[in-house]
Amino acid sequence: MSAQAPSAVILVRAEKFVPNPATAADNAFQRDLPDGQSDEATSAQALAEMDAVADALLAAGVTVHVFPDEDHTRPDSVFPNNWLSTHAGGYVAVYPMYASNRRHERRADVLEMLKSSYRVQTIIDYSGLEPDGIFLEGTGAMVLDHVSRVAYAAVSHRADTHVLERFCADFSYEPMAFEAVDSDGVPVYHTNVIACIGTDVALVALGMIRDADRREQVRERLSVNGREVVDLTEEQVREFAGNAVELCGRTAQGRKRYVMAMSGRARRSLRPEQVEAIERSCEIVAVDIPTIELAGGSVRCMIAGIHLDPRPVVDPEPTATAEAIDDDPHTADGQDVAQGLG
């Protein structure tokens, strides 16, 4: 398994999707529905886009776990990466959410699937910080470099530095917080709209980091291990070019296949030399999701990566050595010692 690019993901098939009015105030990327378009038509179009993303990832050889959601009170549930992240070694984090109508997106069935299908050691739940007005919206608020163990975060209502430091202490990351704003001085609401970190390439809008010294520190930290940094413009960020994610799929022959998943809109905004830089290490998989992007997020927001080891499908057969050592008969219930048979 790649440290940076997960080979399995979680998607939520939100059947009642509409842009969330509770998040519009600080999400400069969010847009209203086209005039005359009903919520029902919007939801139907979004469902088709969600299915297209799932199909594209499956075709790339990525394992996809899809969870249906019929709840009309969870318009943003298509973006599970804001409440959940997983980490090598069996660790899972659950996060505090800024918008109150997003907090019940957290789902026990998703966590139960992770525990049953993957090796989960510990779940750390930060959601109890919500009554104190402290929020950290997962891998929307943070962009994680799993190789160098750095958590990049644009400070906002949705990325509190205190809980960022707490997360970094718990999960062994180095926090790297900064202020990021657009040309109108509006703070970036989520770090993952301006930055994407892959194994050998990173896409980041360095010019949106306000402090010049911090900007160079971010550039240096991203490239210290030889990773190529593709500098995005603010215009490309508005086309969701930064909202991409590297995944590890498989070819039909079973070979590893690294892909960069993004929207068609994001792909069309990239210059030829930027595409070339990305494709030196991974293949771009682009899917058009214009309806979902009305909510202010794109493909990366839709994907919660699974950085956990899968559980064996079946119990492994004992080796000949083990059988030779363990050659005494046993009772079926394993209570042979208690019954004096051991």
Side-chain angles (χ1 to χ4, degrees):
M1 181 185 297
S2 165
Q4 191 65 29
S7 58
V9 301
I10 293 167
L11 300 180
V12 175
R13 195 173 187 268
E15 298 182 20
K16 304 297 183 182
F17 170 89
V18 289
N20 185 356
T23 60
D26 70 333
N27 184 342
F29 295 81
Q30 191 166 325
R31 296 291 179 266
D32 294 331
L33 296 182
D35 289 341
Q37 181 168 304
S38 68
D39 287 353
E40 292 74 17
T42 300
S43 297
Q45 292 173 15
L47 268 182
E49 294 170 12
M50 295 174 209
D51 291 343
V53 170
D55 290 344
L57 297 183
L58 287 167
V62 176
T63 299
V64 180
H65 300 274
V66 179
F67 287 82
D69 184 19
E70 302 175 355
D71 191 338
H72 73 281
T73 68
R74 297 194 287 221
D76 272 343
S77 64
V78 69
F79 302 136
N81 80 309
N82 295 150
W83 71 264
L84 172 75
S85 70
T86 65
H87 304 265
Y91 296 93
V92 176
V94 175
Y95 295 99
M97 308 280 280
Y98 177 62
S100 59
N101 72 346
R102 295 202 62 192
R103 295 171 188 170
H104 63 303
E105 292 175 21
R106 296 186 289 257
R107 294 173 57 159
D109 59 344
V110 173
L111 297 175
E112 288 303 317
M113 182 281 293
L114 290 175
K115 289 191 287 185
S116 64
S117 300
Y118 298 88
R119 297 191 184 279
V120 173
Q121 176 175 301
T122 303
I123 298 176
I124 300 179
D125 186 355
Y126 301 103
S127 63
L129 296 170
E130 287 167 348
D132 298 320
I134 299 174
F135 312 108
L136 184 70
E137 293 190 339
T139 54
M142 302 178 292
V143 174
L144 302 176
D145 184 342
H146 299 283
V147 178
S148 297
R149 310 298 297 178
V150 180
Y152 296 89
V155 179
S156 72
H157 299 304
R158 309 188 190 202
D160 183 275
T161 55
H162 295 92
V163 65
L164 170 67
E165 291 175 0
R166 183 165 160 184
F167 164 85
C168 288
D170 290 338
F171 286 84
S172 300
Y173 285 84
E174 171 195 345
M176 184 164 280
F178 48 81
E179 291 184 9
V181 297
D182 65 18
S183 54
D184 295 323
V186 177
V188 170
Y189 85 103
H190 269 167
T191 315
N192 75 358
V193 296
I194 67 166
C196 160
I197 301 174
T199 305
D200 296 315
V201 66
L203 317 178
V204 57
L206 291 166
M208 296 181 74
I209 299 175
R210 174 173 277 173
D211 182 79
D213 290 339
R214 197 58 160 167
R215 188 184 310 148
E216 288 310 307
Q217 289 169 1
V218 170
R219 183 198 299 272
E220 180 182 354
R221 200 73 177 87
L222 284 171
S223 59
V224 69
N225 62 355
R227 182 185 287 121
E228 184 169 5
V229 176
V230 175
D231 198 353
L232 301 175
T233 65
E234 182 179 334
E235 291 72 23
Q236 289 175 320
V237 165
R238 293 193 179 281
E239 298 298 307
F240 293 104
N243 200 239
V245 60
E246 184 188 71
L247 303 170
C248 182
R250 293 280 175 179
T251 66
Q253 294 74 35
R255 293 191 297 271
K256 284 185 179 180
R257 174 189 183 189
Y258 290 96
V259 299
M260 185 69 76
M262 63 177 63
S263 73
R265 175 181 174 183
R267 168 65 180 79
R268 289 187 290 272
S269 76
L270 296 173
R271 300 188 302 272
E273 67 273 17
Q274 293 174 317
V275 171
E276 183 180 344
I278 295 168
E279 292 187 334
R280 278 195 279 271
S281 59
C282 49
E283 172 189 350
I284 295 175
V285 172
V287 183
D288 282 306
I289 55 166
T291 309
I292 292 171
E293 287 175 333
L294 292 173
S298 190
V299 168
R300 199 282 166 260
C301 295
M302 297 173 65
I303 293 172
I306 301 177
H307 295 266
L308 301 168
D309 293 328
R311 290 187 179 278
V313 177
V314 295
D315 291 333
E317 292 293 329
T319 64
T321 302
E323 288 180 332
I325 294 171
D326 191 17
D327 59 357
D328 289 331
H330 300 277
T331 58
D333 62 3
Q335 299 299 312
D336 40 342
V337 174
Q339 297 178 24
L341 300 178

